Amino acid sequence: MRGMYIEKTYGELVTQIEQLKLLLSEAQETIEAIRRGEVDAFIVKNNNVPEVYTLKSSDQTYRIFIEKMTEGAVTISREGIILYCNTSFANMLDLPLTKVLGQSFENFIPDGYKDAVSRLIAIAWAEECKAEIILPGKNKNPIPVLLSLNTMEIAGGLAMSIIITDLSSQKNAQEELKQKNAQLEQAQLITKKMNDELEQTVRERTNELYKSREHFKFLADNIPAIVWTASPDGEMDYFNKRWYDFTGKDYVQVHKEFRLFIHPDETDAYQNLWNKAISTGTPFELVHRLKDGNLEYRWHFSQALPFRNDDNDIVAWFGISTDIDEQKRALEKKDEFISIASHELKTPVTSIKGYVQLLRYNFQQEGNSHAADLLTKADVQINKLTSLIGDLLDVSKIENGQLLYHEEKFDFNELVKEIIEETERVTKHPIKCELAATCTISGDRNKIGQVITNFIDNAGKYSPTGAVINIKTVNRKTSISLYVQDYGLGIPKDQQAKIFERFFRVNSEKENTYAGLGLGLYISAEIIKRHKGSIGVESEQGKGSIFNFELPII
Ligand code: ADP
C-alpha cells in the first residue's frame, strides 16, 4: 500500500484530494439531512454488500419535535460521550453545536455538580431519575436546570437520553412568589396592626360616645326646659324627662305627639312654621301655649335649629321649648298697667292743656306777656306729654287689636307737604324735599301722617342741630316709597333689625341723652303693615340713616 502512494504523481494526489473533499461534503450534507429529518435511511456498503440503515432511534417526526422543543435534549453513550444534542441544549451553554457533539457530557457540568451528576448517570442506567443542577449559561450566568435521565435503545445498543429543562423562569416565578408572599405577609401584618388600632379607636369612640350620650342625657334631663330632637323630615324622636314630667304622661302616651299639646289657636301657626323650617332648613321659632298634666295651658317659647353634617345635609333638628308663662303674664300685666295708666292720664292732661291755653289767652289780654310766654312753654311740654300718652295708648290698642283705622282715599303728596309745613314751623333743621308725581292712596290718612312725622321727628332728634333732612318720594306706578334721610348718629348694624320692636332703643350713651320710649317706630311698623306695605332702614353708624316705607297705590 505504502508503495502505491509513493508511486502516485502530484496531479493524481490533487485529484484524489478533490474527490475526498467531495465525499466529505456529501457525508456532512447527509448528516445535516439526518439532523433535519430529511433522510430516514441510508445505504452503506459493508464488505461490498449494501446495507440499509434506517434511523430507528430518531424517526423524522421526533427529530423535528426535539429540534423545536425549548428543553435541551442530549443522548449520551455508555462512556458519557454526547452522541446527539438539540440546538436548545447548545444554546443553553451558549456554544455552537459542533463544540458540544462528540464531547463528554461531564465537560459541561460545573465542578460542584460533577460527582453528583456522574452518580446520577450511573443510577440512571438502571432506572429513570431526575435532579436539579446549575449549568454555566450565557456569560457564565448560572442557569438552574432539571435533568431527566432515561435509557433508550438505539441501533448499536443502549444510550441515555437526558432532557434538560431550564428552570430559570420557574425559579424566578418561585422567587417572585416568595417575595410576593413576603409582601403579603407584611401587608397582612400591617392590616392586622391597623385592625387592632381601629378596634381600639372604635372601643375608645364607643366609650366617648357613651359618655357624651350620658352627658347629653344628664344635661337634657336637668335643663329647666323641654328639649326634643326630630329627624330631618320633622318627625320628633326624642324628648327629655321634663316633657314627660310636664305632660304627666309616659313615653308610650306622648311620644311624637308634641302637636297635640299645643293650644288649638296656635296649632296652625305651629304646623305652618314647622313645615317651612323643615322644607327650607331655616331655624324654627314660635311663642305658643302647651297643655300640662293638669290640662292647663302655659306659654312656651319654642325654637329649633337644624344640625348639619360635613356635607351640609341636615341630620337632625334640636329643639327647646322654654316655659315663659310667668314672663308672658308679667308682660300682660305691664300692658294692662300701660293701658290703664295712659287712659287715666289722657283726660287730666287734656284738661290741663285746656286750662293752660285759657290762662295764656287771659294773660295775653291783660298784657302780661311774661306769664303768657311761660304758659306757651308749658303748652309745648304738655304737647310732648300728650304725644307720649298717645303712643302708649296706641301700643295698648295694637296689643289688644283695638287700634282703629279710618280708611279713605287721599292724595299722597298733599299729605307729605302738609306734614313738612307743620314740621318746618317747629324744627331746627332745614328740610330738602324732592317729590315724585303724586298718587292716590287708600288708608288711614292720619296714621300714615303719624309715620311720616315720626320719621322726620327722629331724623331731627338723632342728628346735630342745623343738619339737613332730605325727604324724597319714588313713584313706582304700583307703589310709592318715601325716604327720610338724616346725617346724624346712625344705627349700628346689629341693632337695625330690632329698632321696630316695642320699647327698643339703641343702647349707647349718646342715644340715652334723647328722650323717648322706643315706641314710635314700633307703631309706625304696625301701621305700615296694616296698609300692606313695608318699612325699612339703611344706616351707617356716625354717618346717618335713611328710613323708608313703601305703600301700594290703588
Ligand atoms: P324713640 O321714642 O326712642 O325715638 P322710636 O321707636 O322712634 O323711639 O325709635 C327707636 C330707636 O331707634 C330710638 O331710640 C333710636 O335709638 C333709634 N332711631 C330711630 N330713628 C333714628 C335715627 N334717625 N337715627 C338714629 N337712631 C334712630
Side-chain angles (χ1 to χ4, degrees), residues 28 31-32 35 82-87 89-91 93-104 108:
Q28 266 173 349
I31 290 170
E32 263 312 296
R35 184 176 300 286
I82 297 176
L83 300 175
Y84 168 82
C85 84
N86 65 356
T87 323
F89 180 63
N91 286 347
L93 301 172
D94 199 25
L95 290 170
L97 265 177
T98 46
K99 292 219 169 155
V100 183
L101 284 170
Q103 300 289 320
S104 166
F108 305 107

Side-chain angles (χ1 to χ4, degrees), residues 458 461-462 486 491 504-506 511 516-518 520-521 545 547:
N458 279 349
K461 192 155 87 175
Y462 298 106
D486 66 68
I491 302 155
F504 186 85
R505 307 202 71 222
V506 172
E511 272 87 358
L517 292 176
L521 288 178
S545 317
F547 278 85

Side-chain angles (χ1 to χ4, degrees), residues 355-408:
Y355 291 128
V356 165
Q357 278 174 353
L358 189 66
L359 265 177
R360 190 178 58 179
Y361 177 75
N362 287 344
F363 282 128
Q364 271 168 351
Q365 294 301 310
E366 287 167 14
N368 189 344
S369 60
H370 178 65
D373 284 353
L374 286 176
L375 285 170
T376 306
K377 281 181 184 158
D379 192 42
V380 170
Q381 296 306 318
I382 292 167
N383 283 347
K384 277 189 186 170
L385 196 61
T386 316
S387 154
L388 285 177
I389 294 168
D391 278 358
L392 284 172
L393 270 173
D394 280 354
V395 170
S396 304
K397 285 178 189 163
I398 289 169
E399 290 308 306
N400 300 324
Q402 287 170 350
L403 191 62
L404 299 177
Y405 291 82
H406 304 286
E407 190 150 333
E408 59 181 315

Side-chain angles (χ1 to χ4, degrees), residues 478-496:
T478 54
S479 70
I480 186 117
S481 292
L482 177 121
Y483 298 84
V484 177
Q485 179 179 29
D486 66 68
Y487 298 94
L489 297 182
I491 302 155
K493 286 265 173 299
D494 59 329
Q495 304 197 25
Q496 286 177 13

Side-chain angles (χ1 to χ4, degrees), residues 227-267:
V227 173
W228 43 271
T229 63
S231 58
D233 60 6
E235 189 171 317
M236 296 194 177
D237 48 19
Y238 165 83
F239 285 97
N240 68 343
K241 189 170 166 289
R242 197 175 166 90
W243 170 246
Y244 302 104
D245 291 347
F246 176 78
T247 54
K249 302 254 178 353
D250 62 26
Y251 178 85
V252 182
Q253 288 169 307
V254 290
H255 193 55
K256 300 182 184 174
E257 301 293 355
F258 189 73
R259 192 173 172 276
L260 299 183
F261 289 81
I262 294 177
H263 192 282
D265 286 358
E266 289 111 37
T267 319

Side-chain angles (χ1 to χ4, degrees), residues 148-163:
S148 310
L149 302 97
N150 247 329
T151 52
M152 63 179 191
E153 284 284 343
I154 56 163
L158 204 58
M160 179 169 300
S161 93
I162 306 174
I163 301 294

